Amino acid sequence: MSKEFRVRIAPSPTGEPHVGTAYIALFNRCFAKSRGGKFILRIEDTDQGRSTAQSEQSIFDSLNWLGLSWDEGPDVGGPYGPYRQSERLELYKKHVQQLLDTGKAYKCFCTKDDLDSLRKRQEFEKRPAVGYFASDSPCRNLSESEVEEREKRGLPFVVRLKVPNEDPDGEITFFDHIRKKDISRKYSEIDEQILLKSDSFPTYHLANVVDDHLMDISTVVRGEEWIVSTPKHVLLYKAFGWDCPDFYHLSLLRNPDKNKSKISKRKNPVSLRWFRAAGYTPQALLNFLALMGYSRISEGKTKEELASLEMFSIEELIKEFDPDRISSSGPAFDYEKLGVINDSYMQSMSVEEFCRYQNDRLVYLMEYLGELAPEVKNRFRRFDREVCHVTDFLFRMKMNYSPQEFSKVKIAPKETAAMLKTIQKNFKDNAVSINSVAEFKNVIAEIIGNNGFDNRAAHMALRVAMVGSAESLPLYESMSALGVYRCISRIDEAVTFLNSLS
RNA sequence: GGCCCCGUCGUCUAGCGGUUAGGACAUCACUCUUUCAAGGUGGAGAUCACGGGUUCGAAUCCCGUCGGGGUCACCA
């Protein structure tokens, strides 16, 4: 039988739809379409605690907004369904049993405490690596009767994959098509991965391998963060006696700061909903994302050709897509260049297209704003400006502070800066719990009380720091819409500005 | 820290043994425009992370060092 070219993306429905998901989806889709293959969407909702239906829906919505549609998936169906892992539990159980029967996996009865003390011991012995290795496993060689006895007592267990341990120097190798080289890892450095959790849900590793095989995935295009666990996956394919797909590990999008860490919401907006509400067009975002990992520039082009080579549609990309041209170094996400590309797409629109686009965008923006939407609407006349002007603070990456606005705090810039610093420290200490309008209100009141700040000055300082203006939407709501991490970095920006006023 | 990956202008990149190291964004200057953008022209900006090799010749191949990132969960 001839092998069909099939790729997939497998996001997990937790939290906001991530720009990284779109990045991976883009390359998967281009790859598939350029080969006349299929692009599949599979929902990896094996984390019972964190997966939500709402998050799943916003993955669908965001990807559809971008035009990154899929040929098979939970919503559109397909011949390899179901496409939601929570609906495939029986399949995983069956396959785990197969591994158990063939001695490739075993039941492990170690408790959380056992694992903790194992790690402590490894740290105490100054072992180079900590983890549940074959040599550390008390459960690996349990006799059949011992296992039976424990099960009878109702002890909870997980199922772990056996890593070959006969040859101390043995290693496993796979070929990475982005880096165009073999990547190897020693067996002795691979821990015995949990396949089935004690809630009898599969882990990512098991579900992913089983599904990729069952869904006939020929090519895996995913993020670089999976490179280290790929040997485990290869081991699993081998344990089942299956062929491995081809692996393409895309390098990760990075924060544009000097360290270039993996792009994260702690430092920058990453939600696709944010980009949409901010007024980036799908074509611009896609074009920009493609540029991050793919270059069409090559030798022998004329000057005219070179000038327009960075502006292209996904259709054009598909037409000439060459996976060998995907770059292997981690690109910094340049919000400024995104803006420039977006401008350029705006200019190429007709007036009619522009109106249609902005109308849709306004509707979406209000939905995105949620409880803030009525406030925005109410201020429309008072501000006598565009609605978007009032919400601009949410979408700008760099503030444009003015001394006049900060003068309305009515205390010296230095004092204002110190006050903001204090507030910021409290935000940092409690970041995870500050996630609602009410929380912002409580925390700010508490800080003001504890430090004896002037109530009015503190609020005005925060308002100007957050929005750049003494006139704004309600403060707590604005801060909540911004999210605590962006509030924190905005205070940094404000403090820098205030200190520059001598 | 162990292991893995990556390393060309500030940023995204071209380059695959011989180039004045090319382009794009940002930046600067000039220009066009009744203004502001856009457009046009030009400039500056990279000892190709560093140190050793191999070679007549290295950004390109090899080794080492350094730097950055990723990963070490009953999360994906």
Side-chain angles (χ1 to χ4, degrees):
Chain A
M1 70 182 194
S2 72
K3 195 86 174 150
E4 193 184 13
F5 190 86
R6 293 169 61 82
V7 299
R8 88 304 193 266
I9 56 163
S12 62
T14 57
E16 293 278 310
H18 201 277
V19 67
T21 304
Y23 180 66
I24 305 289
L26 168 65
F27 283 98
N28 270 283
R29 188 164 193 281
C30 286
F31 206 169
K33 295 297 132 188
S34 73
R35 298 286 181 96
K38 292 277 196 306
F39 171 48
I40 288 99
L41 171 63
R42 184 173 72 223
I43 294 292
E44 307 225 330
D45 55 349
T46 56
D47 186 339
Q48 291 191 86
R50 295 195 306 151
S51 299
T52 65
Q54 186 200 357
S55 176
E56 179 186 288
Q57 188 58 47
S58 67
I59 290 173
F60 295 164
D61 292 345
S62 299
L63 258 20
N64 276 135
W65 166 64
L66 286 168
L68 296 171
S69 54
W70 44 95
D71 302 302
E72 300 168 22
D75 53 340
V76 297
Y80 293 82
Y83 293 89
R84 223 176 327 246
Q85 291 188 327
S86 59
E87 294 164 10
R88 301 170 62 83
L89 264 21
E90 285 311 310
L91 248 21
Y92 308 127
K93 271 186 204 151
K94 201 181 95 196
H95 282 87
V96 165
Q97 193 54 50
Q98 181 189 331
L99 254 22
L100 249 16
D101 292 344
T102 52
K104 307 281 180 154
Y106 62 95
K107 292 175 178 169
C108 169
F109 296 88
C110 288
T111 62
K112 190 112 182 78
D113 288 346
D114 293 335
L115 262 26
D116 278 348
S117 58
L118 170 66
R119 196 182 51 241
K120 289 225 174 73
R121 202 182 77 220
Q122 290 173 332
E123 278 164 5
F124 179 76
E125 289 169 359
K126 295 234 176 359
R127 293 252 294 266
V130 297
Y132 202 91
F133 297 100
S135 54
D136 298 304
S137 174
C139 301
R140 194 182 213 259
N141 298 311
L142 250 29
S143 71
E144 232 168 274
S145 58
E146 282 171 309
V147 171
E148 230 167 80
E149 183 266 333
R150 277 163 218 230
E151 277 192 280
K152 211 167 277 164
R153 274 161 55 201
L155 292 180
F157 64 87
V158 300
V159 176
R160 288 180 187 271
L161 177 67
K162 276 188 187 169
V163 177
N165 62 344
E166 303 80 38
D167 176 9
D169 291 323
E171 58 179 29
I172 192 139
T173 301
F174 67 95
F175 187 78
D176 180 79
H177 288 264
I178 297 287
R179 280 149 262 276
K180 302 177 180 64
K181 60 182 256 194
D182 281 333
I183 295 175
S184 308
R185 224 166 141 210
K186 288 210 176 86
Y187 285 141
S188 58
E189 284 158 359
I190 303 175
D191 60 305
E192 308 226 288
Q193 183 59 49
I194 291 178
L195 266 19
L196 208 63
K197 305 183 232 179
S198 55
D199 64 3
S200 79
F201 265 58
T203 57
Y204 166 84
H205 305 282
L206 191 257
N208 183 269
V209 165
V210 168
D211 285 346
D212 281 348
H213 177 260
L214 261 27
M215 294 182 179
D216 266 336
I217 300 301
S218 62
T219 310
V220 169
V221 183
R222 74 217 311 185
E224 189 184 23
E225 72 262 42
W226 296 111
I227 246 180
V228 289
S229 46
T230 303
K232 285 176 184 173
H233 301 166
V234 175
L235 222 45
L236 256 176
Y237 282 103
K238 284 198 168 155
F240 281 119
W242 297 335
D243 287 337
C244 286
D246 290 331
F247 293 107
Y248 289 71
H249 289 98
L250 257 24
S251 49
L252 268 13
L253 260 19
R254 311 292 186 85
N255 289 310
D257 54 25
K258 86 173 196 299
N259 275 348
K260 303 222 299 176
S261 50
K262 169 161 99 170
I263 196 166
S264 70
K265 68 171 180 190
R266 282 189 92 100
K267 299 191 171 170
N268 287 293
V270 293
S271 165
L272 291 170
R273 298 176 59 244
W274 181 88
F275 287 99
R276 184 174 176 184
Y280 295 104
T281 70
Q283 295 80 1
L285 221 207
L286 250 19
N287 193 155
F288 171 74
L289 252 18
L291 242 24
M292 293 287 87
Y294 192 87
S295 172
R296 305 202 307 157
I297 296 171
S298 57
E299 290 203 322
K301 301 269 184 193
T302 66
K303 214 171 172 193
E304 287 70 36
E305 285 173 323
L306 282 173
S308 59
L309 232 40
E310 291 210 335
M311 302 296 294
F312 53 86
S313 67
I314 183 165
E315 288 74 24
E316 288 173 275
L317 218 206
I318 288 168
K319 215 179 293 170
E320 61 176 66
F321 189 76
D322 175 4
D324 284 345
R325 294 194 70 81
I326 300 175
S327 73
S328 57
S329 58
F333 197 102
D334 186 348
Y335 287 84
E336 190 156 343
K337 182 152 185 176
L338 205 210
V340 172
I341 291 176
N342 200 54
D343 288 347
S344 155
Y345 275 91
M346 289 294 167
Q347 278 167 25
S348 67
M349 285 182 191
S350 67
V351 173
E352 290 74 23
E353 284 172 319
F354 175 79
C355 291
R356 211 174 318 125
Y357 170 72
Q358 291 300 347
N359 272 327
D360 291 349
R361 186 244 170 154
L362 181 60
V363 171
Y364 188 79
L365 175 61
M366 287 305 175
E367 184 189 318
Y368 176 81
L369 256 20
E371 56 195 334
L372 211 45
E375 300 287 349
V376 172
K377 178 201 56 117
N378 291 345
R379 277 161 175 74
F380 183 73
R381 265 202 355 166
R382 232 201 102 212
F383 280 78
D384 196 24
R385 287 173 190 145
E386 294 241 20
V387 169
C388 296
H389 184 270
V390 191
T391 55
D392 181 57
F393 77 100
L394 268 178
F395 305 114
R396 61 184 316 139
M397 297 303 293
K398 230 181 255 153
M399 297 306 280
N400 189 14
Y401 293 122
S402 79
Q404 286 80 0
E405 294 302 305
F406 271 113
S407 74
K408 292 174 185 160
V409 180
K410 299 213 170 119
I411 58 177
K414 282 229 155 36
E415 267 181 84
T416 305
M419 186 161 70
L420 286 172
K421 259 322 207 193
T422 306
I423 294 170
Q424 186 196 44
K425 183 170 185 316
N426 279 274
F427 283 178
K428 280 183 178 166
D429 293 345
N430 304 296
V432 279
S433 62
I434 306 177
N435 51 17
S436 68
V437 175
E439 270 307 309
F440 270 103
K441 186 173 184 205
N442 291 341
V443 168
I444 291 167
E446 205 178 302
I447 301 169
I448 291 174
N450 292 344
N451 294 281
F453 291 147
D454 178 76
N455 197 49
R456 212 197 136 275
H459 281 86
M460 186 53 87
L462 275 172
R463 185 182 305 276
V464 179
M466 295 304 130
V467 184
S469 161
E471 295 180 324
S472 82
L473 296 169
L475 183 61
Y476 308 128
E477 283 81 352
S478 299
M479 294 181 77
S480 178
L482 224 31
V484 70
Y485 295 115
R486 290 224 288 154
C487 291
I488 289 169
S489 55
R490 215 154 262 203
I491 290 178
D492 278 330
E493 226 176 315
V495 167
T496 305
F497 175 78
L498 287 163
N499 288 336
S500 73
L501 302 172
S502 52

